[in-house]
Amino acid sequence: MAHNRMSPTSRIASGAILAGLIAAAALATALPASAASASTWDAVAKCESSGNWKANTGNGFSGGLQFTPSTWAAFGGTAYAPKAHQATREQQVAVAEKVLKAQGPKAWPVCSKKAGLRK
């Protein structure tokens, strides 16, 4: 019965590949997940709701980024809270990142320009 043994060169190459994969995975998890900076989202909220992440004026929009109930639900917001104003800032930003990816900055037509929000 033959045994397949790795040569020292193959072992070194395999180890280098494994180390590279581990390094790549570490780098990928260290990179920020958001498309926009925290300060940009704060600037959008400042424009949309005077920076009030709990805004609920009864005009059909709520939260710091002024989500409609349908947008909030369509982009997974109800996993965090029934309405945007009931979610944390971080949760609202997580939903906003999905909206930004799908709709671009036009989801916040005036405030995205003022805040420098880009896709």
Side-chain angles (χ1 to χ4, degrees):
M1 177 176 215
H3 293 284
N4 289 332
R5 291 188 141 188
M6 291 178 70
S7 70
T9 304
S10 295
R11 270 191 289 241
I12 291 169
S14 295
I17 291 169
L18 180 60
L21 290 172
I22 291 169
L27 180 61
T29 58
L31 295 175
S34 65
S37 69
S39 61
T40 300
W41 285 120
D42 286 338
V44 174
K46 178 115 174 103
C47 175
E48 289 285 346
S49 66
S50 299
N52 179 3
W53 293 92
K54 298 294 183 187
N56 183 22
T57 60
N59 66 353
F61 297 86
S62 73
L65 300 170
Q66 294 293 278
F67 292 98
T68 62
S70 60
T71 299
W72 181 250
F75 289 91
T78 54
Y80 300 116
K83 297 182 180 177
H85 71 278
Q86 298 167 325
T88 66
R89 176 199 173 281
E90 292 75 18
Q91 292 166 337
Q92 291 179 47
V93 168
V95 173
E97 290 287 353
K98 293 176 186 177
V99 174
L100 180 62
K101 185 176 180 181
Q103 298 179 4
K106 68 179 181 179
W108 301 271
V110 173
C111 294
S112 64
K113 290 177 185 168
K114 288 183 180 182
L117 180 65
R118 305 205 191 316
K119 191 167 186 177

